[in-house]
Amino acid sequence: MSFQNNIFFKKVRDYSVSKEIFELHHNPEYDLLITFPKPSPEKLPRYYDSEDYISHTDGKRSLFERIYHLIKNIALKNKVKLINAQSQKGKILDIGAGTGDFLVVAKKDGWQIIGIEPSTKAKAIAQNKGINFADKLSDLETYSFDIITMWHVLEHVTNLDEYISELKRLLKPNGTIFIAVPNFKSFDATYYGRFWAGFDVPRHIWHFSKTAIDRLFAEKEMKLIGVLPMKFDSFYVSLLSEKYKTGKMNYIKAFFVGLKSNQSGNQTKEYSSHIYIIKNHQKAI
């Protein structure tokens, strides 16, 4: 895949860490936004260096963090139910496992589990919960996983083509990938514009549409078989977007924007975030 003939879309600030300005460029072939300039692998870790990066902590210091973890616990159980509906119990690889909560729930449900997590801080928390990790994808055996999950992770990877190829290699011939990513075509993305927290530059390098996910995985002989809404995300993202726009958490305003986004999604099928279910149909050689 090559991303050429990109068109300037808008400028967006990194509100959570560096306060630097980045550009978003639109690729019309894939209907994909790309963060520009893309930080080098050497510089990228510093953009995650924040106590407020909530997926790397189990902290419950504020009302916002307490709400986040309450909703997360509900979502974790729903994710395991979703996976059980697509596959008999086998082996799961969770990429970007964070503090390991999803794998804890999956393990209790009878799945064999392993995680990948670049943050040493988050990994240490997960290991204390009994989670095992591989250091990198290349250490894992070909055709070894029934399920691969990436919950808000694919938007972070630096080399998209290479990464999707690795997912293809690791997945069993009839395995399934579950990918959750923000949707820049949602109502809340349009409403908040440059303040939309789902852009989260430069940590989010890629910004996906349904077309982008469908085409990117089809090029690797994998098929998109389902798209599901993540309705809680509209409220969470709206809260952060209100903070970026006004400097404070406007809980009531964010609730109504999130509600309107979900109502709009019921009509347009463009929600704040989507879960994509992708099937591998290629036979093992």
Side-chain angles (χ1 to χ4, degrees):
M1 63 186 70
S2 62
F3 303 113
Q4 300 177 348
N5 302 318
N6 299 325
I7 303 165
F8 173 81
F9 183 71
K10 69 176 60 182
K11 291 184 178 181
V12 183
R13 185 181 298 275
D14 171 14
Y15 289 96
S16 63
V17 179
S18 71
K19 313 306 179 188
E20 296 172 14
I21 299 290
F22 293 84
E23 293 182 357
L24 300 177
H25 295 179
H26 182 251
N27 180 276
E29 180 183 358
Y30 289 89
D31 196 13
L32 174 77
L33 298 180
I34 305 168
T35 298
F36 180 85
K38 182 170 69 173
S40 67
E42 294 77 24
K43 292 182 178 179
L44 193 57
R46 76 180 182 90
Y47 291 104
Y48 290 87
D49 188 16
S50 170
E51 289 296 320
D52 292 330
Y53 200 69
I54 198 165
S55 66
H56 287 175
T57 177
D58 282 350
K60 297 177 182 176
R61 301 163 299 177
S62 64
L63 176 61
F64 175 70
E65 287 185 350
R66 290 194 292 271
I67 292 171
Y68 171 85
H69 286 291
L70 176 64
I71 293 173
K72 184 177 78 170
N73 289 335
I74 297 170
L76 290 173
K77 295 176 183 177
N78 290 337
K79 287 173 181 175
V80 172
K81 287 180 182 177
L82 175 61
I83 288 166
N84 287 340
Q86 291 290 329
S87 173
Q88 293 182 339
K89 288 186 174 65
K91 196 170 183 181
I92 288 181
L93 170 65
D94 186 32
I95 300 172
T99 58
D101 291 330
F102 167 71
L103 288 179
V104 168
V105 175
K107 185 178 181 179
K108 287 180 180 178
D109 197 61
W111 288 87
Q112 301 171 57
I113 57 134
I114 192 167
I116 293 278
E117 174 52 55
S119 167
T120 54
K121 178 182 176 182
K123 185 187 292 186
I125 294 171
Q127 286 171 329
N128 286 333
K129 300 172 184 177
I131 304 301
N132 294 322
F133 287 90
D135 289 331
K136 52 186 182 295
L137 294 184
S138 59
D139 291 340
L140 298 169
E141 294 183 7
T142 299
Y143 301 136
S144 54
F145 294 97
D146 301 279
I147 299 289
I148 298 175
T149 56
M150 298 181 75
W151 307 116
H152 287 290
V153 173
L154 190 65
E155 61 268 40
H156 295 262
V157 307
T158 52
N159 189 325
L160 191 58
D161 181 61
E162 180 181 298
Y163 216 94
I164 295 175
S165 294
E166 273 293 271
L167 298 179
K168 174 73 175 180
R169 179 184 70 80
L170 293 169
L171 197 62
K172 288 184 179 180
N174 201 38
T176 308
I177 301 175
F178 293 83
I179 290 176
V181 288
N183 175 29
F184 75 89
K185 308 192 85 166
S186 65
F187 172 88
D188 49 291
T190 301
Y191 179 86
Y192 285 110
R194 62 191 175 93
F195 298 105
W196 188 53
F199 287 132
D200 198 24
V201 295
R203 289 159 295 279
H204 292 187
I205 299 169
W206 316 96
H207 311 267
F208 301 98
S209 66
K210 294 176 186 176
T211 298
I213 293 291
D214 187 18
R215 292 186 179 179
L216 289 166
F217 282 85
E219 289 177 359
K220 305 298 183 184
E221 298 182 308
M222 291 181 280
K223 184 175 178 60
L224 177 63
I225 63 167
V227 182
L228 300 174
M230 301 186 77
K231 293 188 177 182
F232 282 136
D233 278 30
S234 66
F235 301 105
Y236 167 70
V237 171
S238 293
L239 266 175
L240 280 181
S241 302
E242 283 292 325
K243 181 182 178 181
Y244 297 161
K245 186 176 182 179
T246 68
K248 57 184 178 180
M249 297 285 196
N250 294 317
Y251 287 93
I252 295 175
K253 176 70 175 298
F255 174 79
F256 281 106
V257 174
L259 186 64
K260 190 168 183 179
S261 184
N262 284 333
Q263 290 172 339
S264 174
N266 290 337
Q267 301 297 318
T268 65
K269 307 306 177 188
E270 300 285 359
Y271 292 89
S272 184
S273 295
H274 293 138
I275 295 175
Y276 295 94
I277 306 171
I278 300 159
K279 202 79 174 177
N280 188 12
H281 292 297
Q282 184 182 13
K283 294 180 180 180
I285 300 172

